[in-house]
């Protein structure tokens, strides 16, 4: 059998020229020149017809580590204040139809410290229950929980068996254990007062970055970031970020961006 003839390598077609009329065209230089925590090759502009002619300089062999930073496009082309207004307007339109017993319209600055702690406790319980459980299911369990353990002190005085009895049916019992452990720490180490800042809340057992941001913002009116899968998808689209969603660099970038917004 005769040997196969070697085929000449085919030349790939050159990338199309940038589309100067595209609305995102003005954002490209800013998006590509900032200190992103991820490689610029992750950026969706790289594979789009709007990508400008790349620089002729060769990339470094090893990329130096840099601290996460937020591109200027967040405060200029993306107009963060417009994003705030649109999100708040959307929330005002749906909050009545999506009412939840732990979401109460109150002026935080007019509440006593005891009232703020009570509100934070109610939000805290809801946030832990909502992990891997739908809102429609959580509402009845949350109501029953608050009847049995109306305050953080009441919960701290309970034992694991009592807590599991009320939690029965929600599954993932480790969540109930963390709530009990956290309540005991609040009572024993914080004098029964739940910390008001996200940083302080992270010291409470069972409270992670997302829950800390949710509790501090909802209960105490603090300007705190919180990132879940939905937030990550929205911010990735706003910044044209195409990267491994589970990578540490991606998570750091999205959290930094959420903190600015």
């Amino acid at each position: 059998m005769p040997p196969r003839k070697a085929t000449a390598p085919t030349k790939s077609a050159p990338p199309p020229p940038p589309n100067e009329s595209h609305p995102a065209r003005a954002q490209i230089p800013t998006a590509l020149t900032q200190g992103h925590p991820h490689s610029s090759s992750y950026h969706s502009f790289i594979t789009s017809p709007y990508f400008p002619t790349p620089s002729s300089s060769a990339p470094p062999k090893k990329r130096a580590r840099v601290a996460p930073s937020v591109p200027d496009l967040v405060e200029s082309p993306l107009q963060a204040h417009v994003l705030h207004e649109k999100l708040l307007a959307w929330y005002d339109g749906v909050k009545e139809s999506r009412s939840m017993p732990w979401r109460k319209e109150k002026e935080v600055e007019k509440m006593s410290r005891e009232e703020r702690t009570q509100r934070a406790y109610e939000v805290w319980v809801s946030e832990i229950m909502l992990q891997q459980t739908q809102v429609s299911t959580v509402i009845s369990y949350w109501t029953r929980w608050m009847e049995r353990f109306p305050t953080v002190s009441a919960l701290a005085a309970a034992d694991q068996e009592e807590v599991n009895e009320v939690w029965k049916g929600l599954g993932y019992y480790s969540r109930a254990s963390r709530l009990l452990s956290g309540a005991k720490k609040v009572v024993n180490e914080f004098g029964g007062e739940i910390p008001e800042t996200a940083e302080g809340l992270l010291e409470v057992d069972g409270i992670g970055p997302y829950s800390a941001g949710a509790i501090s913002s909802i209960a105490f009116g603090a300007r705190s970031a919180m990132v879940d899968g939905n937030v990550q998808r929205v911010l990735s689209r706003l910044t044209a970020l195409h990267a491994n969603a589970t990578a540490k660099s991606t998570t750091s970038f999205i959290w930094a961006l959420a903190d600015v917004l």
Side-chain angles (χ1 to χ4, degrees):
M1 187 173 179
R4 291 183 180 180
K5 291 183 178 181
T7 56
T10 57
K11 293 184 178 180
S12 58
N19 183 343
E20 300 294 338
S21 63
H22 190 270
R25 177 66 182 87
Q27 299 178 17
I28 297 174
T30 305
L32 295 177
T33 56
Q34 301 303 311
H36 294 294
H38 58 277
S39 168
S40 62
S41 62
Y42 285 157
H43 229 277
S44 66
F45 287 129
I46 296 296
T47 55
S48 76
Y50 317 114
F51 176 54
T53 304
S55 171
S56 59
S57 58
K61 291 183 178 179
K62 188 173 182 181
R63 182 174 172 273
R65 285 191 175 185
V66 294
S69 61
V70 178
D72 292 341
L73 61 86
V74 174
E75 290 298 342
S76 47
L78 286 185
Q79 297 180 335
H81 68 281
V82 175
L83 181 61
H84 298 166
E85 293 169 3
K86 287 185 177 294
L87 283 173
L88 291 173
W90 170 83
Y91 177 73
D92 288 339
V94 302
K95 65 182 179 181
E96 294 299 329
S97 60
R98 302 187 184 189
S99 61
M100 302 172 222
W102 52 86
R103 291 283 184 96
K104 299 174 181 176
E105 295 289 336
K106 291 184 178 181
E107 295 183 46
V108 177
E109 52 277 359
K110 293 183 179 180
M111 299 169 65
S112 66
R113 186 65 178 86
E114 184 178 352
E115 290 174 325
R116 294 201 300 274
T117 284
Q118 179 60 28
R119 188 183 191 190
Y121 170 63
E122 295 173 3
V123 173
W124 176 17
V125 173
S126 74
E127 286 297 325
I128 301 303
M129 287 185 172
L130 285 168
Q131 293 173 4
Q132 302 178 349
T133 308
Q134 296 181 343
V135 174
S136 57
T137 301
V138 164
I139 289 177
S140 60
Y141 280 92
W142 182 89
T143 303
R144 186 172 66 182
W145 179 281
M146 297 310 299
E147 290 172 353
R148 182 70 175 271
F149 309 117
T151 64
V152 67
S153 298
L155 174 58
D159 58 34
Q160 191 64 58
E161 187 176 346
E162 292 176 287
V163 168
N164 288 346
E165 180 186 347
V166 181
W167 192 271
K168 186 177 181 180
L170 271 178
Y172 300 101
Y173 283 84
S174 60
R175 294 182 293 174
S177 299
R178 291 195 297 270
L179 263 174
L180 177 58
S181 177
K184 290 182 181 296
K185 185 164 187 175
V186 167
V187 169
N188 296 331
E189 298 185 24
F190 297 105
E193 294 184 347
I194 296 176
E196 297 194 5
T197 64
E199 294 76 14
L201 285 161
L202 287 172
E203 297 181 21
V204 178
D205 297 350
I207 296 182
Y210 178 86
S211 297
I215 297 168
S216 62
S217 59
I218 296 171
F220 300 114
R223 185 178 179 274
S224 302
M226 59 190 89
V227 175
D228 62 2
N230 293 323
V231 173
Q232 180 158 332
R233 280 189 289 273
V234 170
L235 295 184
S236 294
R237 290 167 186 168
L238 283 173
T239 56
L241 173 67
H242 180 67
N244 182 353
T246 60
K248 185 177 180 180
S249 57
T250 304
T251 303
S252 299
F253 175 74
I254 293 295
W255 270 97
L257 184 57
D259 192 55
V260 170
L261 294 174

